[in-house]
Amino acid sequence: MWCKESKQKVHEFMCSADLANRYVRKIVAKETRGWGDQENAMRRIGSRYGISFWSLNNIRIGRAKTVDAGLFARIRAAYVDVCEEQLRRLQHEIAVEKAINPHVSLEDIESEAETLAALFKAKKDAKA
C-alpha cells in the first residue's frame, strides 16, 4: 500500500492520517468508561485538548484521508499526555505496593518508571 502524501510504501513511512488514526483510537480506548461511551469519550477528549468532536470521529473511523499539521500536533500532544497520565498511575501503584508490602523489592520497576518520567520531562522541556 502506498502513502498518498509521500509516495512511499506505508511500512517505510506512515501517513499522518494513519498515524493520527492510531493515536485517536488509543486515546479513545483509554478514555472510554465502558461499552457505548465512545461518543462521550470523544467529546471529553475534544474539550480537554481543543479538538472538535467531528475531527476526532472522522479520523477515528478512517474517513479523514489527510490531517493538517496543526491538528496532527494537537492529537500527538494529547497522545503524549495520555501516556504521561498512565505513567503517573503506574508510579502511584508502585508507591501503594511499596507501602502495603515493604519487604517486596520493586526498585527495578521503580527505576524504570523514573527513567521514563525523566524522558517525558526532557522531551517536554526541549519543545518548550
Side-chain angles (χ1 to χ4, degrees):
M1 184 171 167
W2 292 87
C3 179
K4 293 177 188 176
E5 296 167 355
S6 64
K7 307 291 188 236
Q8 294 179 355
K9 287 224 174 224
V10 170
H11 71 276
E12 295 171 2
F13 177 80
M14 194 159 236
C15 299
S16 62
D18 295 334
L19 191 53
N21 176 280
R22 287 184 180 195
Y23 287 157
V24 169
R25 286 179 174 271
K26 288 179 182 181
I27 294 167
V28 170
K30 295 295 179 195
E31 181 68 25
T32 302
R33 295 181 180 157
W35 189 84
D37 189 45
Q38 285 185 333
E39 285 188 22
N40 293 329
M42 285 189 291
R43 290 188 197 287
R44 290 189 300 269
I45 293 164
S47 66
R48 188 178 312 134
Y49 299 109
I51 305 168
S52 76
F53 168 82
W54 290 111
S55 293
L56 286 170
N57 190 55
N58 289 337
I59 292 168
R60 183 183 62 85
I61 64 174
R63 186 175 293 155
K65 301 302 177 196
T66 61
V67 177
D68 79 359
L71 178 59
F72 182 79
R74 286 194 309 264
I75 290 170
R76 187 171 185 280
Y79 178 72
V80 170
D81 189 52
V82 168
C83 291
E84 283 183 305
E85 178 61 30
Q86 286 182 305
L87 178 60
R88 284 190 293 274
R89 288 180 183 179
L90 175 64
Q91 288 174 322
H92 176 72
E93 287 184 32
I94 291 169
V96 168
E97 280 300 314
K98 284 176 66 177
I100 293 172
N101 298 312
H103 60 280
V104 176
S105 175
L106 298 173
E107 283 89 24
D108 54 342
I109 297 171
E110 190 174 24
S111 68
E112 290 288 329
E114 288 173 7
T115 302
L116 191 54
L119 286 171
F120 271 118
K121 184 177 179 346
K123 288 287 186 181
K124 273 196 164 182
D125 291 345
K127 287 194 175 203

